[in-house]
């Protein structure tokens, strides 16, 4: 079947688009639509329908064409051709109409959609703005305030909501073609005009004073120096103040500026990185998977409860196992509380909450696990305990059940060795809060079976997580990189910085949270316990963690004890600087013979981010990550790394590996080899003038 087909059904010309997998507006499709609309002007049709084959309506511009020489017709020409059609054109939407795809629909004279469909302008997530009239047409239909929300958030909305916002004219419940034909016939019958959205004007006097400036301010707090969100506001403002063609010209100028920006390059990198992370070298796409219709979680603590919610949200029944009834009741109460928070935020209905809760069944008996398809262990981080549990699971669970651990650091093979079926054992490393964070590290043990790995990757999609495959090594990908990152934060602290300076530098650069605030949130006792369990030979220079250890010994465990690196208001949890912490820092600096000095913001930023990059390079050499972009996905989705900087490895490429390498050498000369040794892979790529993006796993 060719990309665009045309068929006359009665009085109606049906234009069918077929450009798998997602009907992106590549050159061929643009040409096809343009030609079909043009040809249809001269035939017997009285109205036209634009309909897509496959799993979705048009998902947007073809992102792979960005940066390549443009080929006519441009999307804007296709859109003009549709809008200027003398016969009414109806978009018939199923799946998702996104970005340029929704802009095509907005250029049609009418829009109908299946009730399951979603529409949206998600360009902002790629560091872009709608560049084919979306910022001019959406506010003309939906109003300025609604359009600002829709375009700056970029989240697709369901058809019914779009209908209530006047972005869709009719919602169709079952057969899309039948419904669209009926709709088009009605239009013909009532001699309906070709309603061009461009002809609607917005009265500037109807816009409340200060709407744009207020919106800009709020937006900046959420988007920290990102270009596209602010440009979107400028475009919507232009839709109010300028004639349509001038508004379009403004939109195009700003679209091009965004397209050429490093922010968009980073966000597009993450888009494709997330998708390639799902592909596993040596594991064919058609590797069989095991059916997962029921799950058990062992441990209803911080992680277990959140993990259980993921499965319940996906409609999969969960048995939640605890050590005793008290612990179980506490865990179930937290789950209940979390669902109530979602309910209050309008993220789910009362019925949905009841349904999810009905799918989570607590138990204190392992005997209840004989039939489950998957078990995820989330008990204390203790090898002996985990081995004991896996031995029990081995005896209890049916053959073929997948036995997974949520361990953060432990050796998967050692855990698997406690069973008679190591091929069924795998790491499923969720991130806290597990019901919110998108990342899932799938940790492959040396004996994990291919179908177990394939099932884990598939399962991630079911529970709406982004999976990344990691090898079995201390801290896998993310937590291993956190070690030198945290080390540098500690060293900056003792050498002269304050917690506030470090957090402000990292947060204003875009990290969701600075390292000190993150430590306070997670609990300073966690790292402390890990350090206590290290052998003396592994403990390293006492200067590194002496401040963190001192705070723990003072009972300052972080937010949960009301104080850590900061003081926390018991009512509001608002944080404030605490002079006592500065005294602790200064005392320990003196004890360790460290002369505190002024540390620049740039030094803090470089030491922390280059520590991540250097460890990332070692992780690639060791085969713990399949590809540099997988590391980027881990950091963006699991550790709050700013997506518009593309993850640590992309960030390294964007500033140049030679520059990173030179800086690391300078750190080594200043602080010593036990802290800084440039990774051989980084050294090699920097010397060859290459990037991580050029590097492929078979070069290992
Ligand atoms: N261009 C090129 N390729 C695209 C694409 C696009 N717009 N959207 C998806 N693809 C590719 C993916 O890379 C993937 O390729 P792969 O199989 O080789 O890895 C394949 O299509 C399938 O994509 P998903 O795995 O994401 O499939 P899902 O079914 O899970 O999701 C989707 C489908 C919701 C449409 C999702 O792909 C998506 O969100 N796509 C991007 C939508 C978007 O951002 N559109 C705006 C583009 S920018 C634009 O339109 C500018 C305009 O204003 C001028
Ligand atoms: P937690 O201490 O909050 O919860 C552990 C729970 O396991 C407790 O409720 C305890 O009663 C229960 N438990 C202990 N022994 C049990 C047994 N034999 N049978 C059934 N239940 C038992 O711990 P948390 O933080 O949830 O961590 C669990 C695991 O997840 C650890 O391996 C940890 O490393 C890992 N992890 C933790 C993250 C975090 O941020 N807290 C993030 C990612 C992984």
């Amino acid at each position: 079947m060719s990309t665009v087909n045309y068929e006359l059904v009665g009085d109606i010309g049906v234009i069918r688009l077929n450009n798998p997998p997602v009907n992106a507006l590549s050159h061929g499709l643009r040409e096809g639509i343009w030609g079909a609309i043009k040809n249809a002007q001269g035939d017997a049709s009285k109205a036209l329908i634009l309909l897509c084959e496959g799993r979705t309506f048009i998902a947007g511009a073809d992102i792979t064409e960005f940066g390549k020489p443009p080929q006519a017709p441009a999307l804007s020409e296709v859109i003009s051709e549709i809008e200027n059609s003398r016969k009414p054109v109806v978009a018939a939407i199923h799946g998702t109409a996104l970005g340029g795809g929704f802009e095509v629909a907005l250029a049609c004279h009418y829009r109908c959609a299946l009730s399951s469909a979603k529409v949206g302008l998600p360009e902002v997530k790629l560091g872009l703005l709608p560049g084919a009239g979306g910022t001019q047409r959406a506010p003309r239909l939906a109003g300025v305030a609604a359009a600002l929300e829709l375009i700056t958030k970029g989240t697709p909305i369901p058809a019914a909501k779009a209908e209530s916002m006047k972005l869709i004219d009719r919602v169709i419940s079952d057969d899309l073609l039948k419904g669209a034909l009926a709709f088009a016939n009605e239009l013909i019958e009532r001699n309906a005009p070709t309603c061009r959205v461009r002809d609607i004007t917005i009265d500037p006097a109807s816009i409340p004073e200060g709407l744009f400036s207020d919106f800009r301010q709020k937006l900046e707090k959420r988007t920290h120096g990102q270009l596209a969100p602010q440009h979107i506001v400028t475009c919507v403002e232009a839709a109010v103040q300028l004639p349509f063609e001038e508004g379009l010209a403004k939109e195009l100028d700003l679209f091009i500026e965004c397209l050429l920006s490093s922010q968009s390059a980073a966000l597009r990198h993450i888009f494709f990185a997330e998708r390639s992370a799902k592909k596993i070298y040596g594991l064919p796409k058609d590797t069989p998977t095991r059916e997962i219709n029921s799950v058990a979680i062992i441990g209803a603590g911080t992680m277990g409860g959140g993990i259980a919610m993921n499965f319940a949200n996906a409609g999969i029944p969960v048995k939640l196992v605890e050590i005793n009834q008290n612990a179980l009741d506490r865990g179930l109460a937290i789950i209940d509380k979390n669902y109530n928070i979602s309910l209050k935020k309008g993220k789910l209905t009362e019925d949905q909450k009841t349904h999810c809760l009905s799918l989570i069944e607590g138990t204190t008996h392992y005997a209840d696990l004989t039939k489950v398809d998957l078990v995820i262990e989330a008990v204390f981080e203790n090898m002996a305990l985990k081995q004991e549990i896996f031995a029990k699971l081995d005896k209890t669970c049916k053959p073929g059940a997948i036995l997974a651990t949520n361990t953060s650091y432990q050796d998967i093979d050692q855990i698997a060795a406690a069973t008679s079926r190591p091929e069924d054992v795998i790491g499923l490393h969720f991130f806290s809060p597990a019901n919110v964070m998108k990342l899932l590290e799938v940790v492959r043990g040396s004996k994990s079976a291919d179908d177990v790995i394939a099932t884990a990757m598939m399962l991630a999609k079911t529970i709406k997580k982004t999976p990344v495959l990691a090898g079995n090594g201390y801290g896998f990908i993310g937590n291993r990189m956190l070690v030198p990152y945290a080390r540098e934060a500690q060293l900056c602290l003792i050498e002269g910085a304050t917690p506030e300076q470090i957090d402000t530098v990292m947060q204003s650069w875009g990290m969701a949270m600075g390292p000190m605030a993150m430590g306070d949130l997670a609990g300073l006792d966690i790292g402390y316990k890990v350090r206590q369990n290290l052998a003396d030979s592994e403990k390293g220079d006492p200067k590194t963690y002496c401040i963190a250890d001192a705070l723990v010994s003072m009972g300052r465990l972080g937010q949960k004890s009301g104080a850590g690196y900061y003081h926390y208001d018991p009512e509001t949890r608002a944080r404030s600087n605490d002079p006592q912490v500065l005294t602790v820092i200064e005392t320990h600096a003196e004890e360790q013979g460290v002369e505190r000095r002024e540390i620049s913001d740039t030094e803090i930023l470089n030491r922390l981010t280059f520590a991540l990059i250097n460890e990332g390079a070692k992780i690639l050499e060791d085969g713990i990550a399949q590809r540099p972009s997988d590391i980027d996905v881990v950091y963006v989705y699991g550790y709050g790394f700013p997506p518009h900087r593309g993850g640590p490895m992309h960030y390294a490429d964007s500033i140049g590996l030679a520059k990173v390498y030179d800086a690391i050498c300078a750190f080594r000369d200043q602080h010593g080899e036990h802290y800084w040794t440039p990774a051989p892979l980084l050294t090699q790529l920097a010397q060859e003038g290459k990037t991580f993006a050029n590097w492929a796993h078979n070069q290992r």
Side-chain angles (χ1 to χ4, degrees):
M1 191 179 178
S2 58
T3 318
V4 176
N5 277 285
Y6 183 78
E7 179 194 9
L8 209 53
V9 181
D11 284 339
I12 296 160
V14 178
I15 302 169
R16 286 175 191 270
L17 317 184
N18 184 28
N19 187 26
V22 295
N23 288 309
L25 285 156
S26 49
H27 172 240
L29 191 64
R30 294 197 305 275
E31 204 169 44
I33 302 172
W34 187 80
I37 296 279
K38 223 177 181 44
N39 292 338
Q41 301 305 310
D43 73 7
S45 63
K46 295 185 179 153
L48 304 171
I49 290 177
L50 208 60
L51 182 87
C52 286
E53 298 287 340
R55 65 200 213 220
T56 179
F57 191 77
I58 306 167
D62 185 337
I63 308 168
T64 60
E65 285 187 359
F66 290 162
K68 295 182 186 160
Q71 279 179 289
L75 182 53
S76 55
E77 292 171 77
V78 177
I79 278 181
S80 293
E81 201 62 41
I82 296 172
E83 200 166 45
N84 293 331
S85 162
R86 290 187 303 278
K87 303 171 182 184
V89 185
V90 178
I93 300 168
H94 77 291
T96 44
L98 298 178
F102 190 44
E103 290 174 297
V104 164
L106 289 173
C108 293
H109 306 111
Y110 299 92
R111 287 155 292 282
C112 57
L114 266 187
S115 52
S116 56
K118 287 187 174 179
V119 302
L121 294 165
E123 286 90 340
V124 71
K125 296 186 178 176
L126 299 171
L128 298 170
L129 50 87
T135 64
Q136 303 305 296
R137 291 188 180 89
R140 281 175 160 80
L141 282 174
V144 166
L148 281 173
E149 283 294 323
L150 180 78
I151 312 176
T152 56
K153 286 218 173 96
T155 310
I157 53 169
K161 179 153 190 220
E163 187 186 28
S164 72
M165 291 166 71
K166 302 196 169 61
L167 292 167
I168 296 277
D169 301 292
R170 178 166 301 175
V171 176
I172 294 168
S173 50
D174 39 31
D175 186 328
L176 180 62
L177 178 59
K178 204 167 139 203
L181 284 169
F183 183 56
N185 275 316
E186 283 170 36
L187 295 175
I188 296 169
E189 247 167 59
R190 65 181 167 90
N191 215 3
T194 49
C195 288
R196 303 192 320 168
V197 179
R198 66 157 62 210
D199 297 333
I200 301 170
T201 48
I202 306 170
D203 177 6
S206 68
I207 308 300
E209 208 180 309
L211 182 136
F212 288 109
S213 55
D214 291 354
F215 193 85
R216 273 183 195 286
Q217 268 180 18
K218 274 195 223 141
L219 192 60
E220 184 51 29
K221 278 194 195 137
R222 176 160 64 81
T223 58
H224 302 293
Q226 288 187 52
L227 194 64
Q230 295 293 336
H231 279 0
I232 288 168
V233 183
T234 306
C235 291
V236 175
E237 212 168 353
V240 178
Q241 274 151 7
L242 300 179
F244 185 80
E245 286 301 336
E246 285 176 40
L248 270 190
K250 178 106 218 152
E251 181 194 75
L252 185 60
D253 276 355
L254 296 181
F255 175 80
I256 291 170
E257 190 187 330
C258 287
L259 186 63
L260 299 177
S261 71
S262 59
Q263 294 183 356
S264 176
L267 285 158
R268 281 181 275 135
H269 162 77
I270 284 295
F271 177 86
F272 288 114
E274 188 181 344
R275 279 149 186 88
S276 40
K278 292 178 189 149
K279 292 163 196 158
I280 299 179
Y281 295 125
L283 207 68
K285 227 179 155 185
D286 56 0
T287 303
T289 52
R290 301 186 190 179
E291 259 194 56
I292 306 292
N293 296 317
S294 61
V295 176
I297 316 287
I298 318 284
T302 309
M303 294 306 289
I307 298 172
M309 289 173 74
N310 286 314
F311 288 96
N313 295 347
I316 299 176
V318 183
K319 289 201 193 304
L320 191 57
V321 187
E322 256 297 347
I323 197 154
N324 57 43
Q325 195 60 41
N326 270 351
L328 187 58
D329 291 344
R330 194 184 54 224
L332 289 170
I334 294 172
I335 292 175
D336 197 65
K337 190 176 122 200
N338 284 336
Y339 274 124
N340 279 330
I341 294 173
S342 302
L343 189 69
K344 269 198 198 126
K345 287 187 182 161
K347 288 188 176 162
L348 98 175
T349 63
E350 189 72 51
D351 280 356
Q352 285 167 326
K353 179 195 136 184
T354 310
H355 179 62
C356 289
L357 283 172
S358 74
L359 289 171
I360 303 176
E361 187 191 332
T363 175
T364 53
H365 304 292
Y366 278 72
D368 290 341
L369 310 188
T370 49
K371 291 199 182 117
V372 296
D373 300 316
L374 163 70
V375 184
I376 303 173
E377 165 277 310
V379 303
F380 309 128
E381 187 71 344
N382 176 302
M383 179 54 87
L385 177 61
K386 289 189 191 280
Q387 285 191 318
E388 184 193 314
I389 288 173
F390 272 75
K392 221 187 273 184
L393 293 174
D394 188 27
K395 288 207 187 79
T396 315
C397 296
K398 67 181 183 187
I402 296 179
L403 309 180
T405 170
N406 182 47
T407 179
S408 309
Y409 293 97
Q410 307 284 350
D411 180 350
I412 308 291
D413 290 339
Q414 228 180 310
I415 296 173
T419 72
S420 62
R421 36 174 143 170
E423 66 283 3
D424 293 341
V425 177
I426 195 161
L428 290 181
H429 184 212
F430 291 79
F431 288 74
S432 180
N435 54 320
V436 176
M437 296 298 286
K438 272 194 79 179
L439 180 65
L440 178 66
E441 270 186 339
V442 173
V443 189
R444 167 189 221 157
S446 61
K447 294 192 177 147
S448 307
D450 282 358
D451 65 339
V452 170
I453 299 170
T455 306
M457 300 301 283
M458 172 206 73
L459 196 63
K461 186 165 184 169
T462 311
I463 58 170
K464 299 201 168 81
K465 298 287 175 199
T466 297
V468 173
L469 185 73
N472 181 27
Y474 183 80
F476 318 123
I477 298 174
N479 283 346
R480 173 167 162 185
M481 288 165 70
L482 209 52
V483 175
Y485 175 80
R487 178 199 74 206
E488 286 308 307
Q490 290 296 320
L491 289 172
C492 286
L493 203 59
I494 198 164
E495 287 170 29
T498 62
E500 192 193 17
Q501 186 193 4
I502 296 173
D503 283 345
T504 307
V505 168
M506 297 315 290
Q507 225 176 323
S508 48
W509 183 74
M511 292 296 289
M513 230 182 210
M516 315 329 277
M518 190 164 104
D520 273 358
L521 181 68
L524 301 185
D525 51 324
I526 294 183
Y528 178 82
K529 278 184 205 145
V530 174
R531 288 191 292 280
Q532 293 299 304
N533 289 331
L534 291 175
D536 280 348
S537 60
E538 294 167 334
K539 282 195 171 134
D541 189 336
K543 135 178 142 192
T544 316
Y545 287 100
C546 60
I547 296 168
D549 290 349
L551 293 175
V552 172
S553 61
M554 292 161 72
R556 301 183 70 113
L557 307 183
Q559 283 199 22
K560 61 184 164 192
S561 69
Y565 290 106
Y566 299 96
H567 178 264
Y568 294 90
D569 184 294
E571 298 282 305
T572 62
R573 285 164 91 191
R575 81 176 192 215
S576 55
N577 294 326
D578 189 338
Q580 219 189 336
V581 175
L582 197 58
T583 311
V584 173
I585 297 171
E586 285 168 353
T587 310
H588 280 85
E590 207 178 319
E591 265 176 36
Q592 297 293 329
V594 178
E595 199 171 321
R596 281 171 62 76
R597 62 188 166 91
E598 199 167 305
I599 297 195
S600 73
D601 291 355
T602 309
E603 180 178 343
I604 293 174
L605 178 66
N606 287 351
R607 283 173 68 176
L608 270 63
T609 52
F610 293 1
L612 286 178
I613 294 164
N614 203 37
E615 195 63 32
K618 291 179 190 168
I619 280 174
L620 287 170
E621 283 159 19
D622 292 350
I624 295 295
Q626 294 194 98
R627 42 180 98 76
S629 61
D630 284 9
I631 297 178
D632 291 334
V633 174
V634 166
Y635 259 74
V636 166
Y637 288 117
Y639 295 83
F641 196 97
H644 62 281
R645 299 197 188 269
M649 310 319 272
H650 177 89
Y651 175 61
D653 281 348
S654 72
I655 50 184
L657 296 192
K659 204 173 148 194
V660 178
Y661 170 76
D662 288 346
I664 290 178
C665 291
F667 292 149
R668 176 195 58 201
D669 297 344
Q670 194 183 348
H671 301 279
E673 273 195 347
H674 55 300
Y675 289 123
W676 290 98
T677 316
L681 177 63
L682 174 66
T683 309
Q684 181 202 329
L685 294 178
Q687 283 167 356
E688 290 171 358
K690 292 189 177 152
T691 58
F692 285 119
N694 302 137
W695 182 85
H697 78 294
N698 55 11
Q699 287 172 275
R700 191 175 287 133

